[in-house]
Amino acid sequence: MAIYRRMFQFPLVSRSGRIRKLVAEHRDSAISTVELLNLPGGAVSFELAAKFCYGINFEITSMNVAQLCCVSDYLEMTEEFSKDNLGSRTEEYLESIVCKNLEMCVEVLQQCENLLPLAEELRIVSRCIDSIASKACAEQIASSFSRLEYSSSGRLHMNRQAKCDGDWWIEDLSVLRIDLYQKVMTAMKCRGVRPESIGASLMSYAQKELTKKSSLWNPSSQAKVDLLSVPTGHEKLVVETIVSLLPVEKLIVPITFLFGLLRSAVMLDCTIACRLDLERRIGSQLDIATLDDLLIPSFRDAGDTLFDVDTVHRILVNFSQQDDSEDDMEDASVFEPDSPHSPSQSALFKVAKLVDNYLAEIAPDANLKLAKFMVIADALPAHARTIHDGLYRAIDIYLKAHQGLSEFDRKKLCKLIDLQKLSQEAGAHAAQNERLPLQSIVQVLYFEQIRLRNSLSCSNGEDDQKPVHQSWRISSGALSAAMSPRDNYASLRRENRELKLELTRLRMRLNDLEKEHVFMKRDMEKSNSRKFMSSFSKKIGNLSFFGHSSSRESSSPSKHSHGTDSKVIERTCASTD
């Protein structure tokens, strides 16, 4: 409420339609004051209007033109009541001076923050926003032309390394209130401003407006934040608005910035749509993330986990679904044996390594439930990991920190490890690891023996082709991870068939050795030592531990036995298939 005395009555009546009506209504009464309710700009605006009416010179600037426009409309200071009135003078300044300068438009928008909604009704806001968007777009076009140059071949191209000078307005816009800033960014998108410039402006605005930067934007900060000490109203609105303004293109803003927004959204309890949008964006480029990015603190009660495992799991699901959708869009030729790898295969390898490191980091948490740990470990497809050393290390850390797990839970957890994909060092460690279930240790020892046998077979050079087929237990994991799912399935079937053949051959050779052992005992009892040694040497020369004769001159029983082996193997494979 403002009360203004009678000394201003006559000059104001001549130029203000509102005051003229008020005076006319109270002509018969002896009024000494006129009451003006909800005057835009308050006493400062009225003082400027009064100076104009009394002919006192003052300067119209970008800092007061919005107030003068609103107060002239409120007081009805139009051309109807006086020529060159305040309304027309401010409109002229707004159109001819302010709207041609980007910095002035920003200053006027700042002044309009306290003049809403009248400033919007008078189109002050919309005109300034349109002017800012058009100026920014023109600046970028001019900057792009300045970076055009001719190559050595005489062709015109854009110099990508040259500094872009068309984004100087980014810092200027960061002073606006969030609602006006949102309108400016929306107008810029419609005008065709580059997504890179939009992303840079959003990053600058977020860094300025969001508080608690040390806890929200520093990924290495692992301490929980006291929610009661954080003002959530304004920051929540800022986060949700910035997320809604993010460009749809990938790699426009750094993934660290997206993780910073996600931490803020989780802590400030932003809308589900806001958090899901960030998780989807992060999942689409998770292969360039780091371990510090994934370590999102848990902002819940003290009994919960140290890190937000649920959010990371949803990010991994988004990554896997995005990977599957890209694979579905690929041509069917990628499933052929000789086809190149899927474009997302390298991303799978990077994310698998990242997940293994993340599991090792969260494994010591005493509050981390087995189900949550396993759902993270099993979030990626089986062919994502070529080597399971990282997963084995994470599971070993979890077993060490959770020694109260039952035997059933330990077996269930260790089933996630493909023991055939362990390196020689990891296999040697697992064979002596007392924290693993006995079944897993036995399997590790079995595969280590096969590895050793294959190494001996390769060093002896008995068969140039056989070591290649027998090495499936060591190399099949790495090969299958690099193949498409259909090719991987065919390879596994072929390797399974080879395994059955090998086991059948070993079983038959074991029977032959047992028979030879019985014959040797009989010879020891019936013959003297000299004859026995001669017979023993002859029999040792006829034995072959890998199903092949040691020389070209094989005895006829060996040939007969080999023919029998082949028939038995064929029947075994037929029955197994």
Side-chain angles (χ1 to χ4, degrees), residues 86-104:
L86 183 60
S88 59
R89 296 282 295 273
T90 55
E91 283 291 332
E92 180 183 1
Y93 182 84
L94 192 65
E95 291 290 341
S96 60
I97 305 297
V98 173
C99 290
K100 294 183 179 181
N101 186 283
L102 191 147
E103 296 97 324
M104 284 188 172

Side-chain angles (χ1 to χ4, degrees), residues 350-368:
K350 293 178 182 178
V351 173
K353 184 177 180 180
L354 176 65
V355 170
D356 292 344
N357 292 332
Y358 177 76
L359 289 172
E361 191 70 24
I362 67 174
D365 189 355
N367 294 327
L368 181 61

Side-chain angles (χ1 to χ4, degrees), residues 133 137 140 187-195 198:
C137 188
Q140 287 196 347
M188 283 187 171
K189 286 185 177 182
C190 296
R191 289 277 184 167
V193 176
R194 288 195 302 264
I198 298 294

Side-chain angles (χ1 to χ4, degrees), residues 501 504 508 563-577:
L501 289 170
T504 304
M508 296 180 64
T564 306
D565 292 353
S566 301
K567 295 179 180 179
V568 175
I569 290 171
E570 292 176 358
R571 289 197 301 268
T572 304
C573 293
S575 62
T576 306
D577 292 337

Side-chain angles (χ1 to χ4, degrees), residues 228-285:
L228 297 178
S229 64
V230 181
T232 61
H234 173 68
E235 293 177 351
K236 180 179 178 180
L237 178 61
V238 169
V239 171
E240 293 175 352
T241 303
I242 290 178
V243 172
S244 66
L245 293 173
L246 286 172
V248 296
E249 295 82 358
K250 294 171 60 175
L251 304 177
I252 296 299
V253 296
I255 194 170
T256 303
F257 175 71
L258 295 178
F259 272 105
L261 287 176
L262 182 58
R263 287 187 182 88
S264 304
V266 173
M267 190 195 75
L268 300 173
D269 195 22
C270 293
T271 61
I272 296 178
C274 172
R275 283 178 282 178
L276 292 180
D277 187 17
L278 285 171
E279 292 168 4
R280 179 186 57 80
R281 292 175 182 271
I282 292 173
S284 66
Q285 47 188 313

Side-chain angles (χ1 to χ4, degrees), residues 61-63 93 97-111 128 131-133 135-136 139 168-173 175-176:
T61 65
S62 59
M63 302 301 295
Y93 182 84
I97 305 297
V98 173
C99 290
K100 294 183 179 181
N101 186 283
L102 191 147
E103 296 97 324
M104 284 188 172
C105 289
V106 174
E107 292 175 352
V108 171
L109 285 181
Q110 278 188 280
Q111 301 302 317
C128 289
S131 177
I132 292 174
K135 296 297 182 205
E139 289 283 351
W168 54 266
W169 44 266
I170 290 177
E171 293 294 333
D172 295 339
L173 296 183
V175 300
L176 294 176

Side-chain angles (χ1 to χ4, degrees), residues 321-336:
Q321 292 177 349
Q322 169 256 343
D323 178 61
D324 293 341
S325 63
E326 288 185 0
D327 289 343
D328 293 341
M329 293 174 64
E330 293 294 327
D331 188 74
S333 61
V334 300
F335 293 105
E336 298 300 326

